[in-house]
Amino acid sequence: MVNLTARNTEQLRATLQDAVVKCSERSLYQSAKWAAELLTSLPSPGDITPISDTDSDSPMRDTEHPITSTTIAITTSIDPEERLLESQEIHKYLLAKSYFDCREYDRCTAVFLPSTLPHGPISGTPSSAKLHSPTASKGKSKSSTPGGQTTTIPPPNTFPRLSQRSLFLALYAKYMSGEKKKDEESEMILGPADGGITINRELVGIGRGLEGWFAQRAKEAGGDEQKACGQGWLEYLYGIVLLKGKNEEEAKKWLVKSVHLYPFNWGAWLELSELVGSVEELHRIAPELPQNIMTFVFHLYTSQELYQSTDQVHNSLTQLEAIFPDSQFLKTQRALLFYHSKEQPATPNAYLQDFDEAESIFSTLIQHDPHRIDSLDHYSNILYVMSLRPKLAFLAQLATSTDKFRPETCCVVGNYYSLKSEHEKAVMYFRRALTLDRGFLSAWTLMGHEYVEMKNTHAAIESYRRAVDVNRKDYRAWYGLGQTYEVLEMHFYALFYYQRAASLKPYDPKMWQAVGSCFNKMGRPVQSIKAYKRALVAGSYYDAGTSSFGSGSSGADRPAAGGVMDPETLHQIAQMYEKLGDLDEAAAFMELTLAQEEGPNAGEDDGDIRSSSLGGQGLGVGITTTTSKARMWLARWEFGRGGLDRAMVLANELCQDGVEVEEAKALVRDLRARMEGEKG
């Protein structure tokens, strides 16, 4: 990324204005709003400082749009044939658009497509050359090639001769009608008809119709790929249909084609982002995308969705903020990056610092635009974790006064009641959010948390499953499923879900601790040790360049006590080694557990390990139940192998802990008797 010249900025302004109009024409309200927000966040023409011409390196180099601003209410196509069709349909188009805006979707479709759409299975690709798969749906027409291969004959194009704009509006209205009827048939949230039983019955017809339309267009182009290409809108709709039909690979291809043909449809990028499940997939798809500023924004957004709060992502965001200095969308991404960066702390206070940064950004956004509801559910999560009940109460009141029938508002109010431990009321508001939008991820996950608190494991599992169906990248839902199955003592199921959560959040020690606990309960101590060591890597404040954990049991693979580590995890590792009969390794990890009382500055002498930890004022964790258990274990171990002096020191320290006092006194008596016996 480089600084934009004045010409580049004006070109970007015109392109975004064009995007607003085009998205609005096609009733893509969210994409139009997103583009409009970016447009208004650009600096005004008088604020632009002319700089040297760098058009060759500009991120706008691949977007070929006129520099003059769009001033008309309805755009026209640059293709003469399309422009002629649009001019002939203008009256019908305005009528259909008015029906759509009034949510009369079937009437909107009937303006252009009065006949019934064709019904049949959806094919992955409209190409007539696609080989017929043995698992292809029934009812397809087939023909044989000279080589003996079976090909699929695409369905005929049943649509009348329409412009692509009108055809998109009609088919999109049909799609929305199907979604509306699906929600109506689903009835109550988590009811008997909710879930995968009810489907959008219009998907098959739309998919088959578009398949025939694309096939006819390719045939008329006579092999000319450029002529066969559409405007990007119908390709986007076909990608959505394929995605709803679980044909993800084909959906990805059509969405990529859509963003090539028209890169400023943010809805297409959002659908594409949902199909990217890992950083590796993001890197694989990057070369297939157009090289322009929208790809840069997509890469940033998807990285944030994959919880990649790295310096590189922050730098990319800084470059975008230099172009869009007042973009609320980009500021929200910054806040979410800080929110997710709690998984990679650099200092013991990093958790609080990152939450404070995220909270501060959201607070500033509300001050600048108090009526903005977008992403307030994330803000409420941050306030919930920070236990800022007064601020959460204010946020709930503000959101309710703005629009009480937004899913985000319902989640904010639900979080407020959850923080007050009024879980039934919280569930009521989360269910209300899902009634408004059954695909609202936060509500499914948060409702699952509430059902866990209410001990309703069946409802919790179903809520988490629905959250995973909406977004497979939601580690909280995977972790919640693991927790719920662990409560039911179904450890094999719990392990699977914990491992999925850990793969999404590899730097969160809590995920690996859960995996280790499951392995332990399943009687697999070796795998449990590996998982707990991974938790130490993820959660310790250590120098990654000088410390590494292996999977063996030799002394070389023990982590050096160069930073504060979780004593509970160290104690669990020691217990696993004890189960394996490796007492020397168990003792080494018990010593590490004990060393965490004072932290990295603990003295070499075991006797002064408590010099500053008794009051809990050292850099370590101070005296805890876990470190006292480790001290007791070490005292007994030393007693058993004849290290009576060390055992006596540890036992006397235990007597001062206030933890395990009676057991420690009994051990002191045994030690004294043993010492007197040896002297006698």
Side-chain angles (χ1 to χ4, degrees):
M1 292 292 295
V2 295
N3 290 328
L4 297 185
T5 63
R7 178 183 175 83
N8 291 148
T9 303
E10 283 305 303
Q11 185 179 3
L12 181 58
R13 189 191 311 280
T15 305
L16 284 172
Q17 187 169 337
D18 184 63
V20 173
V21 175
K22 286 185 175 178
C23 291
S24 179
E25 284 176 359
R26 290 157 179 85
S27 301
L28 301 176
Y29 298 128
Q30 296 299 322
S31 297
K33 182 180 74 171
W34 183 87
E37 287 181 349
L38 277 190
L39 176 64
T40 55
S41 72
L42 283 171
S44 59
D47 297 336
I48 300 173
T49 303
I51 58 177
S52 60
D53 192 357
T54 56
D55 286 351
S56 60
D57 296 327
S58 169
M60 294 298 297
R61 62 184 180 275
D62 288 348
T63 54
E64 298 177 358
H65 296 282
I67 297 178
T68 57
S69 298
T70 305
T71 57
I72 57 176
I74 298 178
T75 61
T76 56
S77 173
I78 59 174
D79 181 10
E81 183 179 354
E82 284 289 319
R83 188 163 58 245
L84 176 62
L85 288 172
E86 289 174 2
S87 64
Q88 293 172 349
E89 302 162 354
I90 184 63
H91 295 144
K92 279 189 173 183
Y93 174 81
L94 292 175
L95 176 62
K97 182 69 167 58
S98 66
Y99 286 152
F100 192 101
D101 293 342
C102 294
R103 299 188 179 184
E104 298 182 34
Y105 302 122
D106 289 330
R107 293 186 74 188
C108 175
T109 302
V111 171
F112 293 111
L113 304 174
S115 59
T116 305
L117 288 173
H119 292 281
I122 303 174
S123 172
T125 175
S127 174
S128 60
K130 179 184 175 184
L131 294 180
H132 180 68
S133 170
T135 59
S137 302
K138 297 179 181 179
K140 292 250 183 183
S141 301
K142 304 174 186 176
S143 65
S144 298
T145 62
Q149 294 177 319
T150 304
T151 60
T152 301
I153 299 177
N157 178 23
T158 58
F159 297 143
R161 189 166 179 266
L162 297 171
S163 66
Q164 294 183 46
R165 183 177 69 185
S166 298
L167 182 59
F168 175 88
L169 181 61
L171 293 179
Y172 189 59
K174 198 71 174 175
Y175 168 78
M176 292 300 296
S177 174
E179 289 292 298
K180 181 181 177 183
K181 292 171 184 175
K182 183 184 76 170
D183 288 342
E184 291 169 353
E185 292 172 6
S186 298
E187 298 177 351
M188 64 179 293
I189 302 298
L190 295 183
D194 192 20
I197 300 175
T198 55
I199 60 173
N200 185 339
R201 303 181 188 278
E202 305 297 340
L203 291 178
V204 171
I206 296 171
R208 291 285 287 172
L210 283 174
E211 188 178 352
W213 188 87
F214 284 124
Q216 180 178 343
R217 188 172 179 85
K219 183 179 179 181
E220 292 174 351
D224 187 350
E225 292 187 8
Q226 187 172 1
K227 188 176 179 180
C229 289
Q231 299 172 346
W233 307 100
L234 291 171
E235 288 80 359
Y236 162 61
L237 181 58
Y238 192 51
I240 292 178
V241 171
L242 291 171
L243 181 58
K244 294 286 185 179
K246 307 298 182 183
N247 196 344
E248 296 185 357
E249 287 304 314
E250 286 297 323
K252 190 181 296 184
K253 292 178 182 177
W254 283 94
L255 289 171
V256 169
K257 184 180 295 187
S258 173
V259 298
H260 269 281
L261 293 169
Y262 190 76
F264 281 84
N265 176 14
W266 181 239
W269 293 103
L270 285 178
E271 298 292 343
L272 195 57
S273 178
E274 287 187 15
L275 292 169
V276 178
S278 65
V279 179
E280 292 74 20
E281 287 184 34
L282 179 59
H283 292 326
R284 282 198 298 269
I285 200 175
E288 304 174 20
L289 301 175
Q291 299 301 306
N292 56 41
I293 195 170
M294 290 301 295
T295 300
F296 201 66
V297 176
F298 165 77
H299 196 282
L300 166 71
Y301 174 80
T302 308
S303 297
Q304 181 273 122
E305 287 290 298
L306 293 170
Y307 314 111
Q308 298 300 303
S309 183
T310 62
D311 289 340
Q312 182 180 0
V313 176
H314 276 282
N315 290 337
S316 299
L317 180 54
T318 301
Q319 294 181 54
L320 282 171
E321 286 181 325
I323 300 173
F324 306 104
D326 298 324
S327 171
Q328 295 181 340
F329 168 77
L330 294 179
K331 293 181 188 298
T332 301
Q333 298 308 301
R334 176 80 73 184
L336 293 177
L337 285 175
F338 280 122
Y339 177 43
H340 297 322
S341 68
K342 67 183 186 296
E343 65 186 19
Q344 299 169 357
T347 67
N349 293 322
Y351 288 93
L352 293 176
Q353 292 171 356
D354 291 332
F355 273 99
D356 286 341
E357 289 284 353
E359 194 279 327
S360 176
I361 293 173
F362 273 118
S363 180
T364 304
L365 284 172
I366 288 180
Q367 291 175 12
H368 290 161
D369 189 356
H371 301 297
R372 185 176 187 267
I373 304 293
D374 297 345
S375 300
L376 284 191
D377 53 312
H378 296 298
Y379 186 27
S380 70
N381 290 340
I382 294 171
L383 296 176
Y384 182 94
V385 173
M386 299 177 71
S387 298
L388 296 177
R389 183 169 160 181
K391 278 195 173 183
L392 187 53
F394 169 76
L395 184 66
Q397 184 179 14
L398 179 66
T400 303
S401 64
T402 301
D403 188 350
K404 65 169 63 177
F405 295 111
R406 279 280 294 271
E408 294 90 342
T409 300
C410 296
C411 282
V412 172
V413 178
N415 268 334
Y416 171 71
Y417 282 116
S418 178
L419 192 58
K420 292 178 64 179
S421 298
E422 297 183 26
H423 302 298
E424 292 81 3
K425 280 190 175 180
V427 167
M428 180 184 72
Y429 276 95
F430 293 139
R431 292 174 73 96
R432 184 179 295 177
L434 293 168
T435 302
L436 296 168
D437 182 2
R438 289 179 186 266
F440 197 69
L441 173 65
S442 292
W444 284 116
T445 305
L446 294 172
M447 190 165 70
H449 295 344
E450 296 308 305
Y451 279 128
V452 169
E453 294 292 333
M454 296 165 63
K455 312 299 182 187
N456 189 342
T457 54
H458 175 75
I461 287 172
E462 188 60 30
S463 298
Y464 288 135
R465 286 191 186 281
R466 295 295 298 275
V468 168
D469 288 341
V470 173
N471 186 354
R472 292 168 298 178
K473 300 190 287 287
D474 183 16
Y475 74 94
R476 299 170 302 169
W478 291 111
Y479 185 81
L481 280 168
Q483 278 186 313
T484 311
Y485 277 110
E486 193 171 20
V487 169
L488 297 173
E489 297 186 357
M490 302 173 70
H491 301 301
F492 284 96
Y493 286 94
L495 176 63
F496 171 79
Y497 294 120
Y498 280 143
Q499 287 176 325
R500 290 297 299 267
S503 67
L504 289 167
K505 291 270 283 186
Y507 292 99
D508 193 333
K510 184 171 66 173
M511 306 299 157
W512 295 106
Q513 289 166 357
V515 172
S517 175
C518 267
F519 276 127
N520 180 24
K521 292 173 181 177
M522 292 165 59
R524 298 164 66 178
V526 175
Q527 288 87 349
S528 179
I529 289 171
K530 292 179 181 179
Y532 279 127
K533 286 182 177 179
R534 186 69 183 268
L536 289 177
V537 174
S540 299
Y541 312 121
Y542 74 113
D543 182 1
T546 59
S547 176
S548 61
F549 305 157
S551 58
S553 60
S554 64
D557 73 353
R558 294 195 300 270
V564 178
M565 293 179 283
D566 181 23
E568 182 62 36
T569 304
L570 292 168
H571 188 256
Q572 291 291 340
I573 295 174
Q575 289 183 317
M576 293 301 101
Y577 277 120
E578 185 180 14
K579 282 186 178 181
L580 293 172
D582 192 344
L583 295 182
D584 289 337
E585 197 71 10
F589 276 91
M590 288 294 184
E591 292 283 6
L592 278 175
T593 305
L594 203 59
Q596 304 316 304
E597 286 186 339
E598 187 167 312
N601 296 326
E604 294 294 327
D605 183 13
D606 296 318
D608 55 330
I609 195 171
R610 299 158 52 86
S611 57
S612 63
S613 61
L614 284 171
Q617 301 300 320
L619 295 177
V621 297
I623 296 171
T624 66
T625 303
T626 301
T627 59
S628 293
K629 287 179 181 178
R631 184 174 277 107
M632 175 61 76
W633 190 96
L634 286 169
R636 287 174 174 168
W637 183 67
E638 292 286 358
F639 178 65
R641 69 172 190 163
L644 302 183
D645 292 337
R646 175 81 195 287
M648 181 61 77
V649 170
L650 292 170
N652 286 329
E653 290 173 350
L654 278 166
C655 291
Q656 303 172 27
D657 283 351
V659 183
E660 310 277 357
V661 175
E662 294 302 322
E663 206 170 342
K665 289 180 178 178
L667 181 59
V668 169
R669 288 194 294 269
D670 291 342
L671 282 166
R672 286 175 180 169
R674 176 81 173 271
M675 289 178 176
E676 290 173 0
E678 289 183 357
K679 289 179 181 178

